[in-house]
């Protein structure tokens, strides 16, 4: 069974990312005050999400984690994710600019919004995207129109994106970039507190926010704007 260190809950109209230790503290506080505990979900897309709940420990001695309810139609989409993967996912989603490198090709993206763990349905399957970037512009500018103003961003630490996923997303006009992150970041396999999580999050934030930081990876598919569309017209200029 997949165990997650992070989940999301709804506050007003926003989705809030929370780690399991903070969720357990929330649970204790809500019980003490006899309030209704927010529901936790595996992605910020609440209409398409699976519900999870925080646990201090499981019978096999595993540390605190979020677990899926037994009967959950969404649990088949869940994958085990290293904490290195998740931390980079969080940090990348907060960036406003990134420089992408792929086999000598360089594209700078200016980001309007980074949506974590975006649920997408294609004609053949359903997927969770690590980060869906809504773009403001790109350099060169042609990529913005070529990609229809969006970019699916996947973090590669140990598990590569499947060919079926990249092919299926190409069918619906979604470009994928897979960023290679080496699994030598000295991030532990388990966090034992919120403080420990925040410590490593800050380390990676400082690393990624350096002016000369570049994301090395690979464009996994090759989308084009639809014929006779405004994006196709502008791409061809």
């Amino acid at each position: 069974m997949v165990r997650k260190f992070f989940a999301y809950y709804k506050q007003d109209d926003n989705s809030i990312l929370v780690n399991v230790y903070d969720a357990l503290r929330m649970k204790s506080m809500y019980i003490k005050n006899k309030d209704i505990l927010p529901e936790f979900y595996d992605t910020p897309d609440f209409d398409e999400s699976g519900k999870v709940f925080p646990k201090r420990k499981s019978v096999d001695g595993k540390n605190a984690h979020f677990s899926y309810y037994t009967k959950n139609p969404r649990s088949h989409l869940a994958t085990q994710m290293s904490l290195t993967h998740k931390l980079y996912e969080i940090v990348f989603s907060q960036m406003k600019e990134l420089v992408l490198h792929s086999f000598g090709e360089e594209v700078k993206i200016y980001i309007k919004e980074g949506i974590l763990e975006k649920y997408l349905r294609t004609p053949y399957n359903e997927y969770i995207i690590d980060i869906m970037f809504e773009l403001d512009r790109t350099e060169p500018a042609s990529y913005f129109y070529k990609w229809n103003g969006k970019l699916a961003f996947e973090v590669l630490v140990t598990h590569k994106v499947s060919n079926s996923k990249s092919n299926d997303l190409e069918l619906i006009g979604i470009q994928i970039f897979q960023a290679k992150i080496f699994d030598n970041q000295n991030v532990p396999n388990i966090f034992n507190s919120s403080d420990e999580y925040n410590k490593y999050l800050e380390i990676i934030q400082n690393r990624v926010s350096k002016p000369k930081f570049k994301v090395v990876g690979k464009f996994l598919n090759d989308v084009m704007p639809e014929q006779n569309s405004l994006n196709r017209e502008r791409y061809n200029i």
Side-chain angles (χ1 to χ4, degrees):
M1 180 178 290
V2 173
R3 295 181 172 92
K4 299 170 68 70
F5 184 78
F6 300 93
Y8 302 84
Y9 68 94
K10 191 171 185 179
Q11 187 175 78
D12 299 325
D13 291 327
N14 300 312
S15 61
I16 308 298
L17 179 72
V18 62
N19 68 66
V20 69
Y21 294 106
D22 286 344
L24 287 167
R25 274 195 288 273
M26 287 173 62
K27 183 178 178 180
S28 297
M29 180 185 70
Y30 275 73
I31 290 172
K32 181 180 179 180
N33 296 333
K34 298 182 179 178
D35 290 331
I36 299 174
L37 182 70
E39 294 180 321
F40 297 103
Y41 296 86
D42 62 346
T43 79
D45 242 342
F46 297 123
D47 291 339
E48 302 289 351
S49 290
K51 289 184 181 181
V52 294
F53 60 95
K55 296 177 68 174
R56 292 194 180 278
K57 272 191 177 181
S58 53
V59 292
D60 58 5
K62 293 288 185 181
N63 284 42
H65 60 275
F66 289 98
S67 184
Y68 284 91
Y69 289 96
T70 305
K71 294 181 179 180
N72 192 322
R74 285 261 318 182
S75 58
H76 70 285
L77 288 176
T79 56
Q80 199 68 46
M81 183 185 296
S82 72
L83 291 178
T84 299
H85 184 136
K86 187 62 185 181
L87 288 177
Y88 271 93
E89 187 183 281
I90 292 169
V91 171
F92 281 135
S93 75
Q94 297 168 346
M95 301 299 291
K96 293 302 179 184
E97 300 176 9
L98 287 171
V99 178
L100 312 180
H101 275 263
S102 175
F103 298 104
E105 186 177 12
E106 180 174 302
V107 183
K108 187 171 185 178
I109 60 173
Y110 296 84
I111 301 158
K112 186 182 300 182
E113 184 181 14
I115 303 169
L116 276 170
E117 298 185 295
K118 174 68 176 175
Y119 172 84
L120 281 181
R121 187 185 297 276
T122 73
Y124 301 107
N125 216 325
E126 52 185 343
Y127 299 100
I128 298 295
I129 309 300
D130 282 349
I131 310 165
M132 179 61 77
F133 283 133
E134 299 283 347
L135 302 178
D136 186 51
R137 60 191 174 96
T138 64
E139 294 177 1
S142 57
Y143 285 93
F144 178 84
Y145 305 112
K146 178 177 169 62
W147 300 340
N148 301 298
K150 297 180 180 181
L151 180 67
F153 190 96
E154 295 278 350
V155 177
L156 167 60
V157 178
T158 55
H159 296 95
K160 294 181 179 180
V161 173
S162 67
N163 290 334
S164 60
K165 185 174 186 177
S166 58
N167 292 338
D168 284 358
L169 263 62
E170 185 171 338
L171 290 176
I172 59 172
I174 301 294
Q175 178 67 49
I176 302 182
F177 181 82
Q178 181 175 257
K180 174 59 182 172
I181 302 298
F182 292 97
D183 196 15
N184 59 354
Q185 313 287 318
N186 298 318
V187 177
N189 294 324
I190 295 171
F191 291 143
N192 293 303
S193 68
S194 291
D195 288 341
E196 189 176 19
Y197 154 66
N198 287 322
K199 169 189 170 183
Y200 284 96
L201 182 67
E202 184 177 358
I203 289 171
I204 293 173
Q205 284 172 330
N206 291 337
R207 183 178 298 151
V208 173
S209 61
K210 288 181 179 177
K212 293 185 178 180
F213 181 84
K214 296 178 180 180
V215 186
V216 177
K218 182 179 180 182
F219 293 106
L220 299 184
N221 52 12
D222 188 24
V223 304
M224 289 291 289
E226 290 185 9
Q227 290 285 356
N228 303 318
S229 67
L230 183 59
N231 280 339
R232 186 62 170 253
E233 181 182 329
R234 290 178 173 173
Y235 173 70
N236 289 329
I237 293 175

